[in-house]
Amino acid sequence: MAQVEETLERIKVQPGVEGYVICDMQGQVLRRFPTMSQETAEMYAASMMHLAHKARGVVRDLNPKSELNYLRIRAKRHEVMVAFDKEFLAIVIQRWQPAGTS
């Protein structure tokens, strides 16, 4: 458990990180960024669970021997990274700016 805490602390102090959510495969929020509201964490968990399930299905359809382990989504202002495990989903939200903009 100490290793999990160390990893979460390392994520929290990375530049641009605005939040994280750790949820189980049923979408139940287990951990969230301290300043993130429970409602926001649940919204991210539900949305990413749905998207992760669909993306995993697409990868398996393309090649049944492959499995999706990581998903990265870039939007206008944020980047959402999702890491998969057999039991958990780790979601990290960070600010994003295109290169050359201030």
Side-chain angles (χ1 to χ4, degrees):
M1 198 60 145
Q3 189 177 13
V4 172
E5 293 299 326
E6 288 173 16
T7 302
L8 291 176
E9 285 300 316
R10 251 191 348 254
I11 290 170
K12 276 197 279 191
V13 298
Q14 292 299 314
V17 170
E18 292 186 351
Y20 64 78
V21 178
I22 310 295
C23 64
D24 62 16
M25 288 312 226
Q26 288 73 42
Q28 195 74 7
V29 175
L30 304 174
R31 285 277 178 78
R32 61 186 162 87
F33 197 70
T35 58
M36 182 181 282
S37 71
Q38 182 68 25
E39 294 80 28
T40 302
E42 289 171 356
M43 184 267 311
Y44 272 108
S47 298
M48 292 301 115
M49 286 298 300
H50 182 72
L51 185 59
H53 180 71
K54 295 237 182 233
R56 281 186 133 175
V58 168
V59 168
R60 283 193 199 119
D61 288 348
L62 293 172
N63 185 352
K65 294 180 182 178
S66 293
E67 187 169 329
L68 185 66
N69 295 318
Y70 188 75
L71 179 65
R72 188 176 189 162
I73 303 159
R74 187 174 290 164
K76 192 172 188 175
R77 293 189 182 126
H78 291 95
E79 189 171 47
V80 180
M81 294 160 288
V82 183
F84 304 91
D85 189 86
K86 292 183 192 255
E87 299 177 30
F88 304 102
L89 201 66
I91 304 161
V92 177
I93 302 100
Q94 70 179 18
R95 278 187 312 277
W96 178 79
Q97 285 185 323
T101 61
S102 300

